Amino acid sequence: MRPIRRSGLPIFCMVAACALFAGCADLGAPRNSPAPAEAVNAEQYFKQGNFDLAAQTFLALAQRDHGSGDYYRLRAAQAYHENGEIDAAARTLDDIRPAHLVDAQRIDYDLLGADIALARKNPAKALQLLGYDDANLALQSRTRTLELRARAQAGTGDVLGSARTRAALNRELGGADRTQNEAQIIATLALLPPATLKQQAESLLPGDPLRSWLNQALHKSGQALPLVVLHPNQPVGTLMPQQGNGMQREGYLPPHRIGVLLADTGPLRAVAQPIRDGFFAAHFADTSAQRADIQVYDTGSTPETAVAAYQKAVADGADRIVGPLSREAVAAVFAQGALPVPMLALNQPDNGQTPPPGSAAFALTPDAEAAQVAEHMVQRGLDQAIVITASEDWAERAALAFRAQFGNHNGQVLNEGRIEDGQVNFSTMVRQVLAGVPTTKYAPALPGAAATTDSSAPGTIGIFISMRPQQARLLMPQLKLAGYGQIPVFATSHIYAGDYSPGLDRDLDGVEFCDAPWLFDATPGLPNHADIARVLGAARGAGGRLFAMGLDAYALLPYLNWLAQHNDSYLPGATGQLAEDSLGRIQRLLIWARFDNGAAHPINGSLQMSTAPQ
C-alpha cells in the first residue's frame, strides 16, 4: 500500500484508516446482488494504492448506479483522501446524501468528514461530526473515532478531554501503536503548566486513571503528584461461623491451580529466585486442605515471552496467575485488555497502566517508601528537609516522590545533593547542600561550612537519604564531621543490608528507616526470618525483602477479590500490612526501624501507611 500523505496523523491511525476504508466494500454495498465488475476493479485499485484510478472508477459507478450512488461517492471520497487530495475528497463528500447511507457507511461518512475538518483546521466541526456513541462500534471504527476525537479536543484547547479520550483509546491498542499513543497522552498533558496539572489532579474523583497520566506529565518538569495515603483498619480472614459446622475465614477464596510466571533464564533470574523460594515456602507451610497445585513458567527475558508464558498458564487451566516480574512484561500482559484469568503482577508498569478488572499489581517501589518517609517526618514536626540520594534511577524516583509528598504538607526542601557510584569524598557536596544550615558545637566544621555554631540542632530540619548501605556508611561520618550530626536522618529501606553487621553499621547509628516487618519478625504468624535465613541463602541480606514478597504473593491470592471490594481491609504480610487501592495496586504499611550500636531495631508503635498514586 502506498504511504498516506496526510500530515499530523500518527502511523497507527494511518494503518487503521486504510484497513477501515479497505473494508468498506464488505460492510457496505447496499444491495444483495453481486457487485458490478467495475466495483470489484475499483476496490482492487484501492487495495493496490492506486487511489486516483479507484476514485475515478467509483465516481463513474455512482453516475450509473443511482441506488448505490451515495455509497460509491463515499468510496471515491475515501480514495481521494488516501491520495492526499483533501479538496477533492471534500467536494465529493458534499455530493453525498447522508440519509441514503446505512449503519457503518454513515459512521465512515462522519469519520471522513471529521478528518477533513481537522485537515482544514476546524476541530469544532470535527467534534460535532464525532458526537455519536462509539461504545458498540467495530474495533477499527472505534479506534479511529477515538483518535480523531482526541485530536479535535486538543485542537479546541480541551487538553484534559483529549488526554482522557486517548486513555480510552489506549485500551484498544497494543505494541508500537500503544507506545505511541501513550507518548501522545503525556505530550498533550505536558502542554499545561505544572500548577494546572496539580490543580486538575485535585479535582479528580478517587481512583480516576487520568491521575497517573497527570503524574507522568509532571515528571517531565521534575515534579510529581503527592501519593494518596491508605488507612485500612480491618484485617482480612475474620473467623465466622459457616452453614453446618465449623468456621470460615471472611473473604477467603482459595485458588485451585496457580501459574507462577518468573524468569528461569536471563538477567532477572537472580531476582526471581528469592521470590520463587518465598512463594513455595508459604505454599509448603500452608496446612489447608484446599492447598492449590502450582506450575512455574519461565518468562524468559522479553515482554513477548512473558505474554506467551501467561497464555500457556491459562491454557493449562490455571485459575490464578502470579507474575511476571519486569515492568515491561507486566505492561505487555496488561495490554491484552480483559484477562481470562486474574493475575497478581509482581511489578507496576512505568507508564502508570492499571491492572485489568480482577487483577492486581504488587511491587516494592522506592516511590512509596519515600512518600512514607515524608509523612513520617511531618508527623515528627519537621517542615524543612535536605535531600541526599544516590544518582541511580530508583533513587531519583525516591527523591521525586519525597519532594511531592513533603510539599503536599507544606514542607520545604531546602537543597538537594547526589552521590555518584564509587565516590568516597562527599565534603564538597555536603558543604553545598547544607550551606546556611547552622552547624552544632558537637563537632568541628569542615572548611567552608556554615560558620554559625548553635548549641542545639535545628529543631524543624531533617535529612532524607536514599542510597545503598556502603554509601550511607561513608556519608554519615562526613555529615557529623561537618557539624550536622544533630540533624535527624531518615531513609528508605535501601540503607539496610538486611543482616546483623554492627562493625559496619555503627556509623549509621540514629538513622531511622522504613522496611519490611518480616526482617525484624514483627508480623505474628509468619515463619521466623532468622531460622529461614540460616538454611536458605535466598532469604539472607537484601534478598530477604524479595523472599518476603514471595511469602506475601502466596498469602494475597485467596483475598484478592475481598481486598478489591474492601479498601479498608488489610492482610498482615511479610512486606507490610497489605491493602488494595482503587486502581488495583497492593500497598504496604511498613515498619519503622532505627540503628543503635550498629544494629537495626524496630521502633515500637511507629507504623505508617505507605502510599500509592491514584
Side-chain angles (χ1 to χ4, degrees):
M1 181 178 291
R2 192 167 68 186
I4 305 169
R5 294 199 294 266
R6 286 170 286 169
S7 60
L9 186 61
I11 296 297
F12 75 84
C13 290
M14 296 181 186
V15 175
C18 287
L20 177 60
F21 293 158
C24 285
D26 296 331
L27 294 173
R31 57 170 75 208
N32 295 323
S33 57
E38 294 90 336
V40 175
N41 292 337
E43 294 294 347
Q44 189 64 31
Y45 299 148
F46 194 107
K47 292 177 180 178
Q48 293 172 350
N50 193 343
F51 299 120
D52 186 66
L53 183 56
Q56 296 303 322
T57 306
F58 279 128
L59 285 177
L61 278 165
Q63 292 293 327
R64 296 197 302 271
D65 190 337
H66 297 293
S68 302
D70 289 294
Y71 166 73
Y72 290 130
R73 289 186 184 90
L74 175 61
R75 294 297 286 135
Q78 290 170 335
Y80 279 133
H81 184 263
E82 291 300 300
N83 208 37
E85 300 179 60
I86 301 300
D87 291 340
R91 287 193 301 270
T92 306
L93 206 64
D94 288 341
D95 291 337
I96 296 173
R97 295 163 294 180
H100 289 198
L101 300 174
V102 295
D103 301 330
Q105 298 171 10
R106 181 56 187 267
I107 297 297
D108 290 343
Y109 173 85
D110 289 334
L111 285 170
L112 182 55
D115 210 333
I116 292 172
L118 287 173
R120 291 180 163 181
K121 312 298 183 186
N122 192 348
K125 181 179 179 181
L127 277 178
Q128 182 181 7
L129 290 168
L130 297 168
Y132 50 81
D133 182 9
D134 59 77
N136 297 317
L137 294 181
L139 177 61
Q140 288 178 333
S141 296
R142 175 170 163 76
T143 56
R144 182 75 176 135
T145 296
L146 292 173
E147 195 276 335
L148 289 173
R149 190 178 291 157
R151 289 171 54 200
Q153 289 167 323
T156 61
D158 184 6
V159 171
L160 283 179
S162 178
R164 190 177 292 282
T165 300
R166 284 196 178 277
L169 171 62
N170 213 50
R171 294 190 289 270
E172 311 291 350
L173 302 174
D177 294 346
R178 189 187 187 101
T179 300
Q180 183 176 350
N181 186 62
E182 289 170 352
Q184 188 61 51
I185 295 173
I186 297 171
T188 298
L189 289 172
L191 296 173
L192 297 175
T196 303
L197 292 173
K198 293 178 181 179
Q199 182 181 20
Q200 293 294 340
E202 292 175 358
S203 68
L204 298 178
L205 294 173
D208 193 316
L210 191 61
R211 182 182 172 89
S212 63
W213 295 111
L214 291 167
N215 199 36
Q216 291 182 73
L218 276 170
H219 286 181
K220 294 293 185 180
S221 59
Q223 301 186 52
L225 293 174
L227 306 181
V228 176
V229 179
L230 300 177
H231 296 284
N233 52 30
Q234 180 65 44
V236 300
T238 302
L239 287 175
M240 302 180 65
Q242 61 180 347
Q243 292 182 348
N245 298 322
M247 306 289 285
Q248 64 179 358
R249 285 175 281 175
E250 186 179 37
Y252 183 78
L253 183 65
H256 300 291
R257 183 176 180 85
I258 304 170
V260 179
L261 314 183
L262 288 172
D264 195 39
T265 56
L268 288 177
R269 184 177 185 275
V271 179
Q273 185 64 47
I275 296 176
R276 180 188 295 109
D277 289 350
F279 192 87
F280 275 100
H283 174 69
F284 293 133
D286 185 358
T287 59
S288 170
Q290 300 171 299
R291 193 170 68 176
D293 294 329
I294 298 177
Q295 178 68 45
V296 179
Y297 299 85
D298 181 15
T299 58
S301 56
T302 69
E304 291 75 20
T305 53
V307 170
Y310 174 86
Q311 294 170 343
K312 181 67 165 61
V314 172
D316 288 347
D319 59 347
R320 288 285 187 186
I321 293 176
V322 176
L325 185 54
S326 78
R327 292 190 294 267
E328 297 79 10
V330 173
V333 178
F334 283 176
Q336 296 181 101
L339 296 178
V341 175
M343 181 175 77
L344 176 63
L346 297 179
N347 215 325
Q348 295 176 1
D350 274 337
N351 60 9
Q353 187 179 0
T354 56
S359 296
F362 178 34
L364 312 181
T365 64
D367 317 62
E369 290 191 18
Q372 179 172 351
V373 175
E375 297 279 334
H376 184 65
M377 289 175 63
V378 169
Q379 289 182 353
R380 290 279 300 270
L382 306 177
D383 59 11
Q384 294 179 307
I386 300 293
V387 175
I388 303 175
T389 72
S391 57
E392 290 134 299
D393 175 68
W394 58 266
E396 291 289 352
R397 288 173 57 190
L400 186 63
F402 177 87
R403 284 198 305 270
Q405 201 74 16
F406 199 60
N408 190 53
H409 293 284
N410 298 317
Q412 180 185 8
V413 174
L414 301 177
N415 216 335
E416 297 193 38
R418 296 292 182 269
I419 292 175
E420 299 294 333
D421 189 32
Q423 184 181 358
V424 296
N425 186 346
F426 309 142
S427 58
T428 300
M429 182 272 296
V430 167
R431 288 197 301 269
Q432 290 174 345
V433 300
L434 289 161
V437 176
T439 57
T440 75
K441 67 178 182 181
Y442 299 103
L446 292 173
T452 305
T453 56
D454 193 355
S455 60
S456 63
T460 61
I461 297 177
I463 298 175
F464 166 63
I465 65 175
S466 187
M467 60 189 65
R468 301 295 185 192
Q470 300 87 339
Q471 296 170 312
R473 292 165 186 156
L474 291 170
L475 173 66
M476 291 305 297
Q478 296 184 50
L479 284 174
K480 294 173 184 177
L481 285 173
Y484 303 108
Q486 300 302 305
I487 302 178
V489 178
F490 306 87
T492 57
S493 66
H494 306 85
I495 194 176
Y496 181 43
D499 49 23
Y500 179 64
S501 304
L504 293 173
D505 289 338
R506 203 173 302 279
D507 286 327
L508 302 179
D509 281 359
V511 177
E512 295 183 15
F513 63 97
C514 54
D515 211 334
W518 186 65
L519 299 182
F520 307 95
D521 292 317
T523 303
L526 293 178
N528 184 272
H529 170 244
D531 292 344
I532 290 183
R534 273 194 294 269
V535 296
L536 286 178
R540 298 175 195 149
R545 297 183 186 94
L546 297 173
F547 191 96
M549 187 180 188
L551 291 173
D552 283 350
Y554 184 86
L556 279 166
L557 288 179
Y559 293 105
L560 283 181
N561 290 342
W562 181 264
L563 290 172
Q565 298 167 15
H566 300 82
N567 296 131
D568 59 342
S569 296
Y570 68 89
L571 173 74
T575 61
Q577 290 182 352
L578 308 175
E580 184 172 336
D581 66 25
S582 56
L583 292 180
R585 294 169 180 170
I586 303 299
Q587 308 305 332
R588 303 183 296 142
L589 174 64
L590 304 179
I591 194 170
W592 277 93
R594 180 171 54 225
F595 287 99
D596 183 23
N597 291 323
H601 302 283
I603 304 172
N604 292 333
S606 59
L607 294 176
Q608 171 66 35
M609 175 51 72
S610 71
T611 53
Q614 294 284 324

